[in-house]
Amino acid sequence: MPDTSTTSILSWQADLKDLPRYTGRRLTASEWTTHRSAITAASRKGATLREIATFLGAPPASVHRYIDRDPQAITVETMLRARIDDGTYPLHSQLPTQKEIAKEAGTSPQIADLALDLLAEAGLATRFPGLGAVVTDPDKPPQGPILTVRTRSGKPATRTFPPTPGNATDRVRATVTRRIQDGTYPEGSRIPCHDDLAKEFATQTVVITAALKPLRLRRVLKTIRSKGTYVHPEARTLLQHEDPARADRQPFTPAWQASLQDLPRYTRRHLTASEHTAYRTAITAAYDHSATQDQIAQFLGAPVRFVVRHLDNTPEVPEAEATLRTRIVEGTYPMHTLLPKKAELARDLGVRVQTIEIALDLLIEAGLILRFIGLGTVVTGPDSPPQGTYVMVRDRSGEWVKRRIPIPNGGITRQIRTAVTRRIEDGTYREGSRIPTQAVIAEEFATQKVCVSVALKPLKVSNILVGCARPYVHHMARTLLRQQGGSA
């Protein structure tokens, strides 16, 4: 995506600075309104979905539903309000689902969700996570924690009224913690199953799982497969390590999380060799502190295969790195030649591909090789590094080809995006004209077409480029770039 200038960054980020970081929990109606107003304002100032998502640490899909682009939400809210007033939806009756409202109004479920939030803000409805919305009276709010409602089938049902502020996970965790402290759940005993707790708190089992997870990480609770969840024999002592009144708000931080807290969130961009080393050191330390691969992946927001690759739990790495270094020094792999593929090296040395990847990262840090994304690894010398922008490389077929030297500490996608943006600004790519094909750009930057596609996607989202296979420059591209802060 095009980098924004300081003024533009402060302009749209100022609308988001008061929002909390994304945690995945369900928001209350007032929090929905705050997020929707701030994210919509940032979007109208030129910020892309990915920029907003990166700033908040949230997935782009969750950011998109907060942007109030369509006034249909107010129309749908007006329709629901009229039906509540005329008695179509009686007091304490359950409202239709989001999909049913969307189908009837001819709109999307996201618009129906926004309309229900507007009703909740007005006090005309109360939303129960996972169980739908119920009509309420703003002048006579429900008293007590239990509310008797009439479901769509006509049968009465009880709902635990959600407290404000707070959410279901906090409420469940606080209640379970309090019951352990007062002896309702004795030490060493088994607590009710997730289904029973879900019925008690009128929520879903996934909410119960999320609520109990911090207690399991602190060893207060222990889950045994096929047997249930048990209270630790010294649970009260473990809870006393922190303020009991805040035990549900400040969960214990395990030692393995301290090893990962300085790492950035996973973003799918290409990492440099030094960044690979940093991830490998931290992930290995967390694994040594008894963290599972799934826990590390969830903490970093990364797939498990990313964790497996950076888990340095194999002793063959130094041997593989020494063997490759010896072959380079002896001339088995001459200067400016492509190394064999990782799979071939793994078969030759009798190790895993993961071991070869780590060994190549160490050689890159030593300056003995240079990696070209999607095209292989080239032998270089630390005493005579390549000069200029290009380097001549002998490929595996014996022919000499020209390769563009990658920018240190910068991904190839950002390099391509910056170059295309600069060419639009200086008139190399004129407004209204088509840019070269992805194959031509990929050949110029010595990369693959998929990297070009990823690099150009933010420019297409910003309407600076229009089209798919061979896009053309928008007739007001320079104006759009100035509004978004220009190039990097």
Side-chain angles (χ1 to χ4, degrees), residues 269-276 364-365 370 373 405-412 414-415:
R269 70 176 180 87
H270 180 75
L271 302 178
T272 62
S274 59
E275 290 173 326
H276 276 300
I364 291 175
E365 292 179 353
L370 189 65
I373 301 175
I405 299 177
I407 298 177
N409 298 323
I412 189 64
R414 179 175 293 277
Q415 180 184 351

Side-chain angles (χ1 to χ4, degrees), residues 324 327 333 340-350 356 360:
L324 295 176
R327 293 182 181 181
Y333 301 141
K341 296 181 179 179
K342 290 182 289 188
E344 297 175 359
L345 291 173
R347 287 194 298 267
D348 184 17
L349 300 181
I356 297 298
L360 292 178

Side-chain angles (χ1 to χ4, degrees), residues 242-313:
E242 299 176 6
D243 183 5
R246 303 188 63 186
D248 61 315
R249 303 184 201 173
Q250 297 181 349
F252 173 72
T253 301
W256 64 267
Q257 289 189 4
S259 305
L260 306 174
Q261 61 184 2
D262 294 333
L263 294 179
R265 295 282 294 180
Y266 175 76
T267 59
R268 296 185 62 182
R269 70 176 180 87
H270 180 75
L271 302 178
T272 62
S274 59
E275 290 173 326
H276 276 300
T277 302
Y279 270 97
R280 189 161 55 248
T281 302
I283 290 176
T284 303
Y287 190 79
D288 292 340
H289 281 96
S290 302
T292 64
Q293 296 177 1
D294 291 335
Q295 288 176 329
I296 298 174
Q298 184 177 6
F299 185 85
L300 296 176
V304 177
R305 63 178 182 274
F306 178 85
V307 175
V308 172
R309 177 186 175 187
H310 292 87
L311 188 59
D312 188 6
N313 59 348

